[in-house]
Amino acid sequence: MEPLRLTGPGASVVKYDVLTALSVAGLNGSPTFQTSMMRLIALVTARYNWALDELCVGQRDMARMWSVNERTVKREIKRLTGAGVLICTRPGVRGRVGAFRLNHARIAEVSAPCWGLVGPDFEARMAERHSQPSVKVVQLQSYRQDSAETPAPVSSGTPWGRVMADLSAHHPSAFGSWFSRLTFQDCRAGVLALSAPSTFVQRYIETHLIAPLTAAAELEFGPLDRIEFRA
């Protein structure tokens, strides 16, 4: 995948798409995630240096912009970097202002379930830009947490429940958008059979998340020959 062009012809579309992706991901997330995305969007809109692909703002300035104290700023930055949405390129030490960079690949991963909610043009554009061609041909219905497609909660006392608990603990962002949507069918003869609510979800997990899914599943079910998706 070629690096994103953040300046020059066509760059404005990329910038608007980044802000749109952050917006819809926030609106379809938890209240805490919504707040984080709103704060990040304010920073990016006001202070992001697109020519350098860098955000360099002091904590005091962030606190003033967000109407919070600096302790809250530290927690928020830790949350954003922990989620991988922001990458620290220069720590803020000894009076020096820290520098950060947007992780465009991670933003695409977090927001991908919501692209279809914006419209087919946005969905196709983002899929092409981030090398996820399967998105182009799959219509997303709804990826809100209260969607009717979301499987019922799984008992933590079952092997699959423990797999889900492990994924939730170690991959919280991927769990909310992807793993939590899987339904267990059965596991026999080294084959773990699951179902997904859409072809898009299935293909995304197969392409990007099969390694952590397999690792967590093998802790409960033993060595697996493969993970199989069934209708």
Side-chain angles (χ1 to χ4, degrees), residues 16 35 57 67 73-74 127:
Y16 279 118
T35 300
V57 183
S67 298
V73 169
K74 292 179 181 179

Side-chain angles (χ1 to χ4, degrees), residues 22 80 114 163 193 208 210-211:
L22 292 172
L80 290 168
C114 309
V163 172
H208 299 280
I210 199 66

Side-chain angles (χ1 to χ4, degrees), residues 158-164 166 187 214-223:
T158 64
W160 180 244
R162 290 190 289 272
V163 172
M164 297 294 273
D166 181 88
C187 185
T214 301
E218 287 186 334
L219 289 175
E220 291 297 327
F221 297 106

